[in-house]
Amino acid sequence: MFALHRATVLVVVLLLVATAGGVVLTRGVVRGGTRRVLRERTGEVAVVLNTSIGQLSVGLETLGQVARVTDAAAGPFTTTARAVSSGPAGVSYALLRPAGGGFRVVLAYGGRFRPGEVVTGARVPSLDAALASGQPVPTPVLDVGAERRFGVALGPPAAPAGMVVYRESQLGSLQPPKDTPTAPFHELDVVLYAGDRADPSQALVSTAPHLPLHGTLQARYLNIGAARLLLTVAPATRLNGALNADAPWLVGAFGVLMAALIGFIIEQATRRRDSALALYRTQRAVAETLQRSLLPELRPIPGLSIATRYLPGAAEQRIGGDWFDCFPVGDVDDRVAIVIGDVMGHDMQAAAAMAQIRAALRAYSCETDDPASVLGRLQHLVDVLEVAPLVTIFYGVLDPPDGSGRRCLRYSNAGHLPPLLRGPDGSVDRVADATSTIIGAPHVGGRPVGRLVLTPGATLVLFTDGLVETVGGDVSIAIDSLAAALSAQPPTACAEELSALLEARSAGPLRDDVATLVLQVVVGHGRVESSRMTGSARVTGSASMSVPSGRPGATSAPPVVDRLDLACDHTAAGVARSWVADRMEGWPSEVVDSARLIVSELVTNAVLHAKTAIAVTAETGPDRIVVEVIDGSSDVPVMKRYGATAETGRGFRLVSTLADEWGVEQVAGGGKAVRFALERRRAGADEVAPAEKFRVAGLPAVPDLSSWPDLEDSAPADGGSSGSTFDVWVLALPVEVYLLAAEHNDALLREMTFLPAAPRGGDHPDAASYDEEALAQAIRDQFAPVTSSLRHQIDAALAEGRETVDLRLEVPRAHWDSLVELADRLDEADRLCEDGELLTLEAPALIRRFRRWFADQVSEQAAGRPATPWPGRP
């Protein structure tokens, strides 16, 4: 029997409920519109009827006034009655006087009344009321034989005293009129009642087929004198049009249709999903069966304890190209081959290629126990038959133990990650030598073979890249973290416990396969603790980065490497400078300055061009520091020629000049690492005190500042000057302007400090244009005293949060001209920057303006003229 899914039923029910709600809402909107139109049309009908009632009252008043003025003369009354009765036939007028139990007709017009006749019956109450009230009073509907009649009476003062003017008309049929689409109010059913109740017997006018009206209707009261007439109006047709009236039905039909259509679509999609899931489960079962058949069945090997894990990374098929193997080789007992490998890919093809590679490797291992020969033959197989695109393999042969239980491992690594060797004491080292190119890539010559001795209790941990790769992560750091985790385990930890630790570090969905093999040398007969496939994918992302050259090898512990991770923003260079300087505490200051300058240039270059996350590492030894800046761009920097006005291109010439060694290498998986090295003692230089470093660099010594007097925090009471000194006041100076100028001057002096250590060729176009050393010393002679005198005042202003400051400089009169020359010296240095002689950019206009203003202040105040405040930005 055809059965709908629960999701289909739920959606259809929800859509039908929504449709019902839409119908109710639409019906309410349509009814509201109908009531609004009906209310407006009822008002229009009431206006028309009120106009007619008003004309009726006016006619009675006119007739009464004529009778009163003419003393009830018959001629004028008849003439006036004829005039006001122009309209429908059957209207009669009479002037009545009370007589006994009724009213006697004094004058009459029309065929209904005759003079002298006495009016009695249902008319009398209305005539009495009109005589007493002085307002028009209607009668009820009068049944006179087969006729229906209606009258209105009006007494004094409009009529003569003691008399009543009376008007009576014959009512028409209550049948609805013929359908006339052009007639006024043809779309309405209108009923007017004599009285304030909807009594069908008192209906004066009706266009409805049945009384009283039902359904949507409007009611109004019309006043005629002191009495009221009831007006009821109902729609006879669809006031808002046929489309609006049928809108609820249209909404309901559309909703039901959409519910059926959407239910059909959901049902079909659900059935397709069920079919796809069933197919997926079948494929998954096939893949797991295939993967289990491809992974080796490891048998117990005497003297070894082995634990393995395989975690598939592709959740769609749960199959991949990572594998491990461990099997006896050769004719010698207890000689074992150890393999960990990775075929590129995460699908059936990768698994099939892995099976061929594994079978071929076992076959080659039976022919020779030389790891290099086995990998060479495997390289030939891949090149000729193209069984796999790229394969990484670590292949080793573990020789039988000697008398002390130690075993020699001969191995060769074809592009695979270095295994980790855990000693009996828990210490962990990388097995990072004997590496060569990946299988499948072009390779010339033989492959290296490394040797390693495994003592009893030692553990070899092999793994594929899925265990340590993360998106944007550093593989080297991840391997160090893994080594630290292994080292933290108790020295007595067995192979299975360490293998479980590796599995626990793979928490989360994996994008790449993970294969691990933990081999431990034990005393006596070992056991195989193999868990061939567990769990599902657990590590997100993949990225790889090669271990930089020059790192420690397999048999020595790596030095402590500090690492700094930086965001790609404007703060990176400053943070890196301070971080490198902290690593070099106690080093000669000129070497620290060189390191700060170089790392600032490299980090700035990475921020501007790589636009990725940045990492800085520092390996600091007793006499040498190696700093590495790593970014995610693969573009290798080159040294360029630059013109006199160029703002870029100088950076790597600066690095080449200042660094003892430097270079660039590509990082596997994308990215580059730029490395430089500095020696603690530069070639040909002796350790000197910081105060003499400029002389050692070829510059004169720092000038003696003892002739400059110490400053106090406040000016003298008289604000004047002593005979040998005078005060220079810098008023309302923005702290920001001073700091910008000081920073630029520091950059100039810092670069000039390095000039003697950077020899220049004699063919330089401006080799003899300037004596940079002399210029640097000249600037230092004037700038150093100014800085030492003013800096503490700026620091105080910054501490107090002030934006402007009044600076006081007590200047010996013998030196005031040197301060005036300061601006000229700095402008001269700026020309060197502009011509490309210096790497520092020329000073902005604001800094040049400040220099000139400062020189003018010194000159003006030396001449006895008062200080003027900083004029501000132009």
Side-chain angles (χ1 to χ4, degrees):
M1 181 178 179
F2 180 78
L4 296 176
H5 285 78
R6 291 184 179 180
T8 305
V9 175
L10 178 61
V11 170
V12 170
V13 169
L14 290 177
L15 288 176
L16 291 177
V17 171
T19 299
V23 170
V24 172
L25 180 62
T26 305
R27 185 177 180 185
V29 172
V30 172
R31 284 188 174 184
T34 301
R35 291 190 184 95
R36 178 180 55 79
V37 175
L38 181 61
R39 185 166 52 251
E40 295 174 355
R41 299 294 284 162
T42 301
E44 296 173 2
V45 173
V47 170
V48 173
L49 293 177
N50 277 326
T51 302
S52 300
I53 292 173
Q55 293 176 352
L56 185 149
S57 299
V58 170
L60 288 176
E61 290 177 357
T62 302
L63 196 60
Q65 290 175 0
V66 169
R68 189 178 68 250
V69 171
T70 60
D71 292 331
F77 181 84
T78 301
T79 303
T80 304
R82 185 182 298 112
V84 299
S85 64
S86 59
V91 177
S92 301
Y93 289 92
L95 182 63
L96 306 176
R97 185 192 305 273
F103 282 80
R104 186 180 300 279
V105 177
V106 178
L107 297 175
Y109 173 79
R112 181 66 187 85
F113 300 105
R114 294 187 301 274
E117 179 183 359
V118 177
V119 176
T120 58
R123 302 182 181 90
V124 173
S126 298
L127 294 175
D128 288 336
L131 187 64
S133 66
Q135 296 182 3
V137 177
T139 66
V141 175
L142 306 174
D143 292 323
V144 181
E147 297 180 356
R148 298 173 60 252
R149 304 186 69 85
F150 174 70
V152 179
L154 178 63
M163 296 184 181
V164 176
V165 179
Y166 180 67
R167 179 187 185 278
E168 188 174 284
S169 60
Q170 181 178 348
L171 300 176
S173 173
L174 294 179
Q175 297 298 322
K178 294 182 180 180
D179 187 12
T180 308
T182 59
F185 309 117
H186 70 279
E187 74 277 18
L188 303 177
D189 285 336
V190 180
V191 180
L192 181 63
Y193 295 98
D196 53 6
R197 293 185 304 106
D199 184 359
S201 64
Q202 296 297 311
L204 300 176
V205 177
S206 175
T207 63
H210 303 287
L211 295 178
L213 298 179
H214 297 282
T216 303
L217 55 86
Q218 288 285 320
R220 294 283 182 89
Y221 287 104
L222 307 181
N223 295 322
I224 178 169
R228 295 193 304 177
L229 305 181
L230 175 61
L231 172 66
T232 58
V233 180
T237 61
R238 297 171 176 177
L239 298 181
N240 287 334
L243 182 61
N244 287 336
D246 294 337
W249 297 102
L250 296 177
V251 170
F254 178 77
V256 172
L257 179 62
M258 291 304 297
L261 178 60
I262 294 175
F264 175 77
I265 294 174
I266 293 177
E267 182 68 19
Q268 292 298 314
T270 304
R271 292 180 180 276
R272 290 193 182 98
R273 184 204 61 182
D274 293 344
S275 299
L277 288 176
L279 179 60
Y280 166 74
R281 294 187 186 98
T282 302
Q283 291 180 344
R284 175 177 171 178
V286 171
E288 290 183 355
T289 302
L290 175 61
Q291 188 71 56
R292 289 192 181 96
S293 66
L294 294 178
L295 291 175
E297 291 285 352
L298 301 185
R299 62 184 180 86
I301 300 176
L304 298 177
S305 177
I306 303 173
T308 62
R309 293 288 192 277
Y310 179 84
L311 305 175
E316 292 81 4
Q317 293 183 319
R318 299 177 58 84
I319 194 169
D322 294 22
W323 91 97
F324 52 79
D325 206 351
C326 185
F327 53 92
V329 294
D331 299 330
V332 180
D333 293 338
D334 296 337
R335 178 170 289 156
V336 179
I338 303 170
V339 184
I340 190 81
D342 185 3
V343 176
M344 185 178 68
H346 313 100
D347 51 18
M348 290 283 190
Q349 292 181 351
M354 178 265 286
Q356 298 180 61
I357 296 285
R358 184 174 68 85
L361 189 143
R362 282 201 170 200
Y364 296 147
S365 298
C366 295
E367 299 177 1
T368 177
D369 61 357
D370 179 27
S373 298
V374 172
L375 294 185
R377 296 184 182 187
L378 200 61
Q379 172 78 37
H380 181 71
L381 173 69
V382 171
D383 290 343
V384 173
L385 300 182
E386 298 181 352
V387 295
L390 294 173
V391 185
T392 67
I393 297 179
F394 178 92
Y395 175 75
V397 176
L398 189 63
D399 291 333
D402 58 14
S404 63
R406 297 187 305 171
R407 309 183 71 145
C408 178
L409 175 67
R410 293 173 290 119
Y411 58 89
S412 184
N413 190 339
H416 201 79
L417 293 177
L420 297 176
L421 176 62
R422 186 176 187 266
D425 59 352
S427 62
V428 179
D429 298 332
R430 293 192 192 185
V431 184
D433 58 350
T435 60
S436 57
T437 57
I438 189 172
I439 300 293
H443 180 79
V444 179
R447 295 181 181 271
V449 176
R451 283 175 171 78
L452 187 64
V453 175
L454 276 65
T455 59
T459 304
L460 188 65
V461 179
L462 302 97
F463 50 88
T464 56
D465 53 3
L467 182 65
V468 292
E469 283 187 345
T470 58
V471 176
D474 189 326
V475 173
S476 178
I477 295 176
I479 295 176
D480 290 341
S481 175
L482 177 61
L486 292 171
S487 179
Q489 300 302 306
T492 58
C494 65
E496 176 61 28
E497 293 172 343
L498 297 179
S499 182
L501 171 66
L502 302 183
E503 181 181 2
R505 292 178 62 88
S506 303
L510 288 168
R511 292 178 57 189
D512 198 0
D513 305 345
V514 175
T516 64
L517 187 151
V518 180
L519 181 146
Q520 190 174 69
V521 178
V522 297
V523 178
H525 294 285
R527 64 189 185 279
V528 175
E529 300 167 348
S530 177
S531 177
R532 300 179 59 223
M533 179 181 290
T534 61
S536 57
R538 297 210 181 142
V539 175
T540 58
S542 64
S544 64
M545 182 174 292
S546 65
V547 180
S549 61
R551 298 287 173 89
T555 59
S556 62
V560 176
V561 178
D562 294 322
R563 177 185 173 94
L564 173 67
D565 293 308
L566 297 169
C568 186
D569 58 27
H570 66 282
T571 65
V575 174
R577 286 195 300 268
S578 301
W579 183 81
V580 169
D582 291 341
R583 310 274 86 71
M584 302 176 68
E585 183 177 359
W587 283 55
S589 57
E590 64 269 20
V591 181
V592 177
D593 289 341
S594 296
R596 285 165 51 89
L597 186 60
I598 296 174
V599 77
S600 178
E601 173 60 35
L602 295 182
V603 172
T604 301
N605 191 67
V607 171
L608 294 178
H609 302 293
K611 296 180 174 62
T612 64
I614 304 166
V616 182
T617 63
E619 297 182 8
T620 309
D623 298 310
R624 176 183 174 87
I625 183 170
V626 179
V627 180
E628 195 172 62
V629 177
I630 306 168
D631 60 53
S633 173
S634 299
D635 296 334
V636 177
V638 296
M639 288 201 288
K640 301 181 292 186
R641 298 183 61 87
Y642 55 86
T645 60
E647 297 184 359
T648 61
R650 302 180 173 92
F652 280 92
R653 292 188 180 273
L654 178 65
V655 174
S656 178
T657 299
L658 297 180
D660 293 317
E661 300 175 15
W662 78 284
V664 182
E665 68 178 26
Q666 295 283 0
V667 172
K672 66 177 178 296
V674 184
R675 179 189 301 116
F676 70 90
L678 292 173
E679 302 291 340
R680 188 182 187 96
R681 293 174 178 269
R682 296 296 183 91
D686 295 324
E687 187 69 28
V688 295
E692 300 177 351
K693 66 179 180 179
F694 298 112
R695 182 165 61 250
V696 174
L699 296 177
V702 176
D704 184 10
L705 305 181
S706 59
S707 61
W708 286 74
D710 294 333
L711 291 179
E712 298 179 0
D713 290 339
S714 59
D718 57 359
S721 304
S722 65
S724 61
T725 63
F726 70 96
D727 292 341
V728 175
W729 283 92
V730 182
L731 302 180
L733 176 66
V735 175
E736 177 188 8
V737 174
Y738 177 86
L739 294 178
L740 289 175
E743 181 180 3
H744 186 266
N745 295 340
D746 287 342
L748 283 175
L749 294 179
R750 183 167 58 249
E751 183 177 356
M752 290 179 180
T753 299
F754 296 129
L755 287 176
R760 299 170 50 189
D763 58 348
H764 193 279
D766 296 322
S769 299
Y770 293 96
D771 185 352
E772 288 101 335
E773 297 179 24
L775 178 59
Q777 183 58 45
I779 294 176
R780 197 181 334 277
D781 287 341
Q782 284 99 27
F783 186 68
V786 174
T787 302
S788 63
S789 300
L790 299 182
R791 184 64 199 190
H792 78 286
Q793 300 179 64
I794 293 295
D795 291 341
L798 290 173
E800 297 172 5
R802 289 181 284 162
E803 295 182 358
T804 61
V805 64
D806 294 338
L807 301 177
R808 169 179 169 266
L809 179 64
E810 190 175 353
V811 181
R813 290 190 178 275
H815 295 298
W816 76 270
D817 54 343
S818 65
L819 293 182
V820 176
E821 294 175 2
L822 176 60
D824 296 332
R825 300 289 187 185
L826 293 174
D827 287 346
E828 186 176 358
D830 279 335
R831 285 193 291 275
L832 293 179
C833 297
E834 184 178 357
D835 294 339
E837 289 294 303
L838 297 178
L839 300 178
T840 305
L841 297 179
E842 59 181 300
L846 178 63
I847 294 178
R848 293 190 177 189
R849 184 163 171 260
F850 166 67
R851 293 174 187 166
R852 284 299 167 192
W853 177 77
F854 178 78
D856 292 343
Q857 289 296 304
V858 173
S859 299
E860 292 291 323
Q861 296 180 46
R865 286 184 281 275
T868 58
W870 166 252
R873 298 178 184 268

